[in-house]
Amino acid sequence: EAGVVQSPRYKIIEKKQPVAFWCNPISGHNTLYWYRQNLGQGPELLIRYENEEAVDDSQLPKDRFSAERLKGVDSTLKIQPAELGDSAVYLCASSLTGVLAGANVLTFGAGSRLTVL
Amino acid sequence: AQKVTQAQTEISVVEKEDVTLDCVYETRDTTYYLFWYKQPPSGELVFLIRRNSFDEQNEISGRYSWNFQKSTSSFNFTITASQVVDSAVYFCALSGTNTGNQFYFGTGTSLTVIP
């Protein structure tokens, strides 16, 4: 079974440029998360989707960040324009929400490392 | 409030030593899950264990063991006979039923096993 797939793995851009990250979750996982991980820190939630609905985007800087999960499967996270402080690893994770065995466990992708110059 | 504290920022041990990673949590939920994840240098967070708040039995998996104590709100992780491949950052996380499926991560403990 394929895991959570993210692309690109690495991205280097100049400040004020746009950037987009893509995530394909595990098949059948209804919940999708975008996290940001700064160096030496734990993951911090940006947005969480239940199917195609964004149910928690309180930590998403909406002036420059946007996300979508069309058809409740894969998702895109966009930053426009990027700032120096956006340099981080952007992690996508998915989970199966419910009471089944194995539910509510986050499976992470390899992450997209963004460097803003 | 939901919070996970990993007070140990960095730990170094010599190979074959035992090491315990501490995790203390805060939650108002009566039902919650606790997790440990491993993040090796490659960067991908790997799930190690999930523990339900109603199950306080300690668990052992090979060289790994976990000690869950609700009385002290702790969920500690012990690696026995550490190996170089255990070098990674380890994260403890909490997910409460009253907060939907939001996960709260600690700041991680960086473990270095010296050969």
Side-chain angles (χ1 to χ4, degrees), chain A residues 93-110:
Chain A
S94 68
S95 72
L96 180 63
T97 302
V99 297
L100 297 174
N104 305 317
V105 172
L106 289 180
T107 301
F108 284 87

Side-chain angles (χ1 to χ4, degrees), chain A residues 9 31 33 35 37 40-43 45 48 50 56 91 97 102-110, chain B residues 33 35 37 39 41-47 50 91 95 99-108:
Chain A
R9 286 294 313 275
T31 306
Y33 307 73
Y35 284 88
Q37 186 178 21
Q41 299 294 316
L45 181 70
R48 172 166 63 93
E50 298 280 354
D56 185 353
L91 296 164
T97 302
N104 305 317
V105 172
L106 289 180
T107 301
F108 284 87
Chain B
Y33 293 107
F35 304 80
Y37 282 83
Q39 189 173 41
S42 61
E44 187 165 342
L45 279 144
V46 177
F47 167 75
R50 178 186 73 171
F91 291 95
S95 176
T99 53
N101 295 303
Q102 182 148 322
F103 284 70
Y104 298 85
F105 285 84
T107 52

Side-chain angles (χ1 to χ4, degrees), chain B residues 59-107:
Chain B
E59 182 158 342
I60 298 175
S61 176
R63 297 184 297 106
Y64 295 172
S65 63
W66 291 270
N67 184 321
F68 176 32
Q69 293 193 347
K70 288 181 77 171
S71 61
T72 56
S73 297
S74 65
F75 186 43
N76 296 337
F77 173 28
T78 297
I79 302 174
T80 302
S82 61
Q83 300 177 0
V84 173
V85 293
D86 296 327
S87 297
V89 181
Y90 291 87
F91 291 95
C92 182
L94 164 71
S95 176
T97 54
N98 290 342
T99 53
N101 295 303
Q102 182 148 322
F103 284 70
Y104 298 85
F105 285 84
T107 52

